[in-house]
């Protein structure tokens, strides 16, 4: 997931990862009596000072790249918003998620993210057609996104362009 934070200063705590004895990394939350001996002893202190994200995508979206829009190609209301590439995750037994390019909208008055809108889905009826990995704003303001599965570059433009 891609968390978006509003961090007021250097050295702020935005969360932590811990290491399981198996070597796998995970966010550590203590559950008394259920393996609590492998968790950090200072978990409550760390949780109290954690700054929570202002916006995040669900897990397994596998966000790998994004760009903030500086041009008004899609309209002035898009400026300052982000286009985000999510390549999805492979090897899941559950329903696939991600495989898209989404717009994260930012409030123009307070600068905070408030929602997202799927612009392109490359997952149709369970079939994956591309794995978006990054986005870039072109000189004209349209958006390019890369596909690491098909090794292609796609362009998102206004209708009729």
């Amino acid at each position: 997931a891609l968390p978006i934070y509003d961090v007021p200063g250097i050295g702020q705590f935005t969360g932590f990862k811990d290491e399981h004895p198996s070597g796998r990394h995970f966010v550590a939350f203590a559950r008394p009596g259920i393996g609590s001996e492998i968790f950090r002893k200072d978990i409550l202190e760390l949780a109290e000072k954690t700054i929570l994200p202002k916006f995040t995508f669900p897990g397994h979206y596998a966000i790998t790249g994004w760009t903030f829009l500086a041009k008004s190609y899609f309209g002035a209301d898009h400026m300052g918003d982000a286009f985000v590439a999510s390549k999805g995750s492979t090897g899941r037994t559950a329903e696939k998620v991600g495989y898209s390019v989404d717009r994260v909208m930012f409030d123009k008055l307070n600068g905070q993210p408030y929602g997202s809108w799927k612009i392109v889905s490359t997952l149709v009826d369970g079939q994956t057609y591309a794995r978006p990995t990054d986005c870039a704003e072109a000189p004209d303001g349209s958006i390019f996104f890369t596909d690491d599965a098909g090794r292609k570059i796609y362009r998102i433009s206004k209708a009729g362009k």
Side-chain angles (χ1 to χ4, degrees):
L2 169 74
I4 298 174
Y5 294 94
D6 182 11
V7 181
I10 295 173
Q12 299 295 313
F13 188 69
T14 59
F16 54 93
K17 291 193 172 194
D18 213 340
E19 190 169 314
H20 189 272
S22 70
R24 295 190 67 184
H25 294 278
F26 61 98
V27 175
F29 293 98
R31 296 188 334 192
I34 304 175
S36 59
E37 68 281 354
I38 66 170
F39 293 99
R40 298 177 66 131
K41 303 294 184 216
D42 59 348
I43 188 94
L44 294 178
E45 178 186 327
L46 290 171
E48 283 181 13
K49 64 181 183 177
T50 300
I51 296 172
L52 298 177
K54 298 291 184 178
F55 184 84
T56 187
F57 281 90
H60 303 286
Y61 263 58
I63 305 295
T64 54
W66 60 88
T67 189
F68 288 94
L69 303 184
K71 297 176 176 62
S72 61
Y73 175 82
F74 292 105
D77 63 321
H78 282 60
M79 291 179 65
D81 291 352
F83 270 50
V84 177
S86 67
K87 68 179 190 169
S89 56
T90 59
R92 287 190 47 149
T93 57
E95 183 179 334
K96 291 181 179 180
V97 294
Y99 303 95
S100 61
V101 176
D102 296 78
R103 173 187 170 202
V104 177
M105 297 164 284
F106 286 80
D107 186 285
K108 303 309 181 226
L109 296 177
N110 65 20
Q112 300 299 309
Y114 66 88
S116 67
W117 188 264
K118 191 171 299 297
I119 302 299
V120 174
S121 178
T122 61
L123 177 66
V124 180
D125 296 328
Q127 177 69 38
T128 304
Y129 291 95
R131 296 188 75 201
T133 51
D134 203 358
C135 296
E137 189 174 32
D140 71 353
S142 62
I143 299 295
F144 290 112
F145 74 90
T146 55
D147 165 21
D148 76 349
R151 301 177 75 180
K152 296 178 181 175
I153 298 174
Y154 295 92
R155 180 175 178 250
I156 302 170
S157 62
K158 295 188 287 189
K161 295 281 182 174

